[in-house]
Amino acid sequence: MERGGAEMEWPAYLNEYEKLVIRMNNPRVVIDNAVCPNATLVKSNRALPDGCYGNQPKVDSARKHGILLEAVQVLTDLNLSVKKAYISSDGRWFMDVFHVTDQFGRKLADDSVISYLEQSLDTEDHGLQRSCAEEGLTTLELTGADRPGLLSEVFAVLADLGCGVVEAKVWTHNGRIACLVSVKDELSGSPIDADARRIHHIESRLRHVLKCVHGVCGARTAVSSMAVAHTDRRLHQMMFADRDYERKSPSPPASKPPSVSVQNWVERGYSVVTVQCRDRPKLLFDIVCTLTDMEYVVFHGTIDTDGDLAHQEFYVRHKDGSPVSSEAERQRVIQCLQAAIERRSSEGIRLELCIEDKPGLLSEVTRTFRENSLSVTRAEVSTKGDMATNVFYVTDAAGRPADPKAIDAVRLRIGPGCLTVKEEQRPQFRRKAAAADGQGGGGGVGIGLFYLGNLFRRNLYNLGLIKSCS
C-alpha cells in the first residue's frame, strides 16, 4: 500500500501472501465534512477476503474482538465528541460510521487532526502504546479503599522516598480508589525500577497506606516499566478487577444511576444492550471499553444524542458466539456498565492548577486540600518541562459540595493566580432524560429491533445513496 508516494515498509518475517492479505484487509477510511451541517462524518469499513478464516463461522470473522474499541479510542484521545454512530458487521465485512465534533461542538477543521485520524484508523497498530521505559518512567498501579486524605498520604510517601511524579490519573467510585502514577527518581531523573530493594520498599510503604483501618479491604500495588497501552482503559480494568460495581457508595448518590437494560433477541442470537443517560465526553469509550474487557463483541449498534440525553444500543455476543445466557450474567452486565459510566462522572468542583513544578509539589497541594476538609474524587496530573498542569475534582469529606470558604482558603494558600475554580457546567436534564432515568430498565427489544431494522437503510446513506443526514 502506498501513502503519500512512499512505499509501506513491511516487517521482514512477512511473506508475499501475508502482505497481500494485509493490503486486502486494510480498512478504508473516509472523512467527510460536506455530508452533515453540524458534524464531521468518519467512516471506516473493511471487507475480509474469503478463505482467510478457514471454516470458522462468519460471526467470528466479521468483527475482530476489540477492533471497535480501537477506533473509538482514537476518537477519544483527540477529545472528539460522538454525536451519532452506526455500527454494523455481517458476513465478511464491517462498517463503522461516526458523526463527530471537536470539544467545542464544531466540525473538524484542523488538517493535522484529520490526517492523524486517517492514518490512525487505517492501520492495525493505532499508535497508542507508549513505553514508560523509553521515557525513563516507572508506573505504579494502586487500588484500595478510598478515604478522606488518602491521596495526600500517597503523594507524601512518594515524596519522602524521592520519587518525582510526572503523570498521574486517579479515579474513585463506590468507596474505592484506582491510581496510575508514573514516577522517576527526583534527583537524577532516571527510572527507579532497576533497584529491586527500593521498589520493594516503595510497594511496602504504599500498601501500608492503602490498607483499610477496619480490616483488609483489597489493597493492591504493582510496579512496571512496561507500556500502558491506554491509561483510561487500564483504570477501568483496575476498578473492574477490584469489583467496584458490586459495592455501595458510602455517600448518597447525587443522581439516579444510568438506565441500562439487557434483553435477548432469541431469533438472531443477539443480546440487546440499551443505555440511556446524560451525554458527556468519552461516554461511548467507557461503554465499549467495558463490553470489550468483559469479552463481548459488538456486531451492530446505534448511538444517538438529543441535547444532553444519550441513547446507545448494541447487539452483542460473547466471544464464543453465545448471547447472555443467565439472569446473573445479565445483572452483572448492567452493574458493570453503570459503574463504567459513573466512574468518570465524579461529582465536585473542578480545580485547575498550573504552576512551576518542584519536588513534593503534589504532596503539598493535596495536604492543603486535606487540612481544609476537601476530598479528591478524581485527578489528572501532567508535567511538561518545568510546568505542572493538574486537575482536581473536590468535595467535602462527606462527599457533599465543597464549602466555598474552604476553596478560598486553599486558593489563598497555594496562590489564587495558580489555582483556578472551573466548576463543571452541567446542563439541566430535559424532561425526556428524567423520564428515561425513571424507567429503570430502559429500552426494550422492540425498540432494539426498530434500530437494527434501520441499520441497512442507514448503510445506504453511509454509502452515499441516500442524501438525508438524519
Side-chain angles (χ1 to χ4, degrees):
M1 182 185 72
E2 293 185 359
R3 176 180 287 278
E7 180 70 24
M8 178 176 178
E9 295 185 6
W10 299 98
Y13 57 80
L14 292 178
N15 60 38
E16 291 304 315
Y17 175 75
E18 290 170 324
K19 294 177 184 178
L20 175 62
V21 170
I22 292 174
R23 286 191 182 101
M24 295 174 68
N25 286 344
N26 215 35
R28 296 175 57 191
V29 177
V30 175
I31 298 178
D32 193 338
N33 262 324
V35 175
C36 293
N38 301 318
T40 299
L41 182 143
V42 179
K43 180 176 70 174
S44 173
N45 65 75
R46 176 187 293 172
L48 303 180
D50 292 335
C52 289
Y53 294 88
N55 294 320
Q56 291 184 8
K58 66 179 182 180
V59 71
D60 293 329
S61 62
R63 171 73 72 176
K64 188 186 80 174
H65 182 58
I67 198 168
L68 173 61
L69 175 60
E70 292 171 0
V72 173
Q73 203 163 275
V74 171
L75 302 176
T76 298
D77 289 345
L78 291 172
N79 291 321
L80 303 182
S81 296
V82 179
K83 299 304 181 184
K84 289 186 179 182
Y86 312 119
I87 300 157
S88 187
S89 62
D90 197 6
R92 294 184 179 274
W93 60 270
F94 73 80
M95 178 184 291
D96 298 332
V97 180
F98 306 96
H99 295 238
V100 304
T101 63
D102 64 17
Q103 58 185 320
F104 304 108
R106 302 175 302 204
K107 285 186 176 185
L108 306 188
D110 190 328
D111 289 340
S112 64
V113 172
I114 293 174
S115 177
Y116 177 82
L117 265 178
E118 291 174 333
Q119 295 176 25
S120 298
L121 294 174
D122 202 22
T123 178
E124 291 292 323
D125 175 14
H126 291 271
L128 298 171
Q129 289 200 351
R130 172 177 62 87
S131 171
C132 292
E134 290 178 1
E135 298 185 9
L137 303 178
T138 302
T139 299
L140 311 176
E141 296 184 355
L142 314 174
T143 55
D146 189 28
R147 66 176 186 276
L150 175 60
L151 200 58
S152 170
E153 296 178 42
V154 167
F155 287 136
V157 166
L158 294 176
D160 185 54
L161 297 177
C163 299
V165 177
V166 179
E167 296 176 353
K169 274 194 174 182
V170 181
W171 287 1
T172 63
H173 180 246
N174 282 353
R176 309 298 292 177
I177 187 170
C179 311
L180 277 174
V181 187
S182 297
V183 301
K184 61 183 179 181
D185 183 79
E186 188 72 80
L187 296 178
S188 67
S190 59
I192 63 173
D193 55 286
D195 188 339
R197 291 185 61 185
R198 185 178 185 185
I199 289 294
H200 177 76
H201 186 47
I202 292 171
E203 286 190 285
S204 177
R205 288 278 302 273
L206 289 174
R207 272 196 299 269
H208 179 73
V209 167
L210 289 167
K211 280 183 179 179
C212 182
V213 176
H214 302 292
V216 178
C217 288
R220 178 184 173 275
T221 64
V223 180
S224 175
S225 61
M226 301 300 292
V228 176
H230 196 273
T231 54
D232 286 1
R233 184 178 185 185
R234 184 62 191 142
L235 284 167
H236 274 303
Q237 291 171 339
M238 290 165 62
M239 299 210 88
F240 176 77
D242 194 46
R243 305 176 80 89
D244 69 316
Y245 55 88
E246 292 182 342
R247 303 174 188 272
K248 299 296 183 182
S249 175
S251 56
S255 59
K256 293 182 179 180
S259 173
V260 180
S261 72
V262 180
Q263 300 189 44
N264 282 354
W265 187 9
V266 178
E267 293 82 358
R268 294 296 182 92
Y270 290 117
S271 291
V272 184
V273 178
T274 306
V275 178
Q276 293 188 80
C277 63
R278 185 181 65 86
D279 190 31
R280 61 164 174 78
K282 304 185 179 182
L283 176 64
L284 178 60
F285 170 83
D286 293 337
I287 293 172
V288 173
C289 176
T290 300
L291 289 172
T292 302
D293 287 335
M294 294 181 73
E295 300 193 331
Y296 293 99
V297 181
V298 177
F299 287 90
H300 305 281
T302 60
I303 288 85
D304 197 11
T305 58
D306 182 8
D308 56 356
L309 174 64
H311 177 99
Q312 303 192 9
E313 196 156 60
F314 305 94
Y315 295 76
V316 306
R317 295 185 179 117
H318 200 267
K319 280 178 64 177
D320 63 9
S322 63
V324 172
S325 58
S326 69
E327 178 61 21
E329 182 182 1
R330 189 180 78 87
Q331 289 297 328
R332 185 167 180 262
V333 171
I334 292 173
Q335 287 180 331
C336 289
L337 287 176
Q338 288 176 333
I341 295 168
E342 292 170 344
R343 288 171 194 148
R344 207 193 292 268
S345 302
S346 299
E347 300 295 329
I349 294 177
R350 176 183 170 111
L351 302 179
E352 296 181 358
L353 175 65
C354 186
I355 194 172
E356 185 175 354
D357 193 28
K358 64 179 181 179
L361 172 66
L362 286 170
S363 174
E364 178 183 324
V365 170
T366 52
R367 183 178 67 248
T368 302
F369 290 159
R370 185 189 64 197
E371 290 171 349
N372 287 273
S373 300
L374 296 179
S375 183
V376 178
T377 60
R378 187 155 55 100
E380 185 167 347
V381 173
S382 177
T383 305
K384 288 182 173 58
D386 295 331
M387 295 300 296
T389 305
N390 306 332
V391 175
F392 303 95
Y393 290 84
V394 299
T395 64
D396 72 5
R400 298 184 296 259
D403 185 344
K405 293 181 180 179
I407 299 294
D408 291 340
V410 168
R411 294 188 65 219
L412 184 63
R413 175 79 175 272
I414 296 174
C418 302
L419 185 66
T420 57
V421 179
K422 299 285 184 179
E423 190 167 2
E424 278 206 298
Q425 299 298 316
R426 296 197 168 189
Q428 295 295 317
F429 277 95
R430 299 185 176 203
R431 291 182 181 178
K432 187 185 300 184
D437 276 342
Q439 290 174 358
V445 175
I447 296 175
L449 299 183
F450 172 78
Y451 274 95
L452 186 57
N454 282 332
L455 276 174
F456 301 103
R457 179 179 61 82
R458 285 168 176 161
N459 282 341
L460 292 177
Y461 152 70
N462 297 331
L463 292 170
L465 301 178
I466 296 177
K467 299 299 184 182
S468 174
C469 176
S470 60

